[in-house]
Amino acid sequence: MKKKLIALCLFLTVSLALRAQDLVIPQNLTLESHDDYINTEKLVVQCIDWLQQTTFGEEKEERKKVQNFLLRWMSGSPTVMIQIKEGLIPLDKPEILMAFMQGWTRYSLLHKKASSVVDCAMAGVEYALDVYNKNKRYLGRLRLMEKLIERKQKQQLRIFIERKFK
C-alpha cells in the first residue's frame, strides 16, 4: 500500500511538472502585425486551456505571465472582438472577467466560421463558470455566478444570454 501511495505521488508530481513545461511563451514574441496575431492563435488556445486546468493557487508566477500574454493578445487581436454586457458576469471580479474573455476567445478561434456573438458569449460564460467552480475557495461565493449556475441547471442560460445581446 505504501509503495502504491508513493508511486501515485510521484506520478502526480511528474504530470504537474510536465503540464507546466508543455506551455512555452517565447520571450521575443511580437504582436504588431495581423500575421503576428494569426500565427499565435494556436498558442493562445493552449494558454487558455492551461489556465482552465490550473487553479488560482497553482503556479502563480506562470499564471501571471500567461494571463498578461493573453490580455495583450486579446486587446490587439484584429480577428477576435469580445463584447461584454453588464449583468452577464460580475465585472468587479477581474478573475471572472478574464475567464469570460478567455472562453469567448477560445470559442471564437476554434469556430471561426460558425461563431455568433451569442455562441461566443455562451462559451465565455461556461468557461467562466468552470473557472469559478474550480476556484470558489479563492474567489468566495459570487451571487451572479450562482444565479448563472442555476440558469444553466434549468437550461435557461442560453435564453438569458440571447436577451443580453438583443
Side-chain angles (χ1 to χ4, degrees), residues 18 63 86 90 125 137 161:
L18 287 175
R63 279 187 70 80
E86 191 172 339
V125 169
R137 72 180 213 188
I161 292 171

Side-chain angles (χ1 to χ4, degrees), residues 86-158:
E86 191 172 339
L88 189 57
I89 53 161
L91 300 177
D92 61 339
K93 287 290 183 187
E95 301 90 345
I96 299 298
L97 178 58
M98 186 69 173
F100 171 80
M101 293 173 16
Q102 291 164 359
W104 180 300
T105 299
R106 183 182 190 285
Y107 185 87
S108 183
L109 291 175
L110 295 177
H111 303 90
K112 290 181 182 181
K113 293 186 190 292
S115 60
S116 70
V117 173
V118 171
D119 290 337
C120 291
M122 183 77 177
V125 169
E126 287 181 336
Y127 183 95
L129 287 172
D130 183 59
V131 169
Y132 171 68
N133 284 324
K134 288 179 181 175
N135 294 284
K136 275 187 186 178
R137 72 180 213 188
Y138 300 101
L139 294 167
R141 186 176 159 93
L142 302 174
R143 191 169 162 242
L144 179 55
M145 297 305 284
E146 294 296 329
K147 284 188 170 203
L148 292 172
I149 290 169
E150 280 181 41
R151 284 187 170 104
K152 184 174 179 177
Q153 289 170 346
K154 293 177 182 176
Q155 298 181 354
Q156 297 174 348
L157 185 58
R158 185 169 189 88

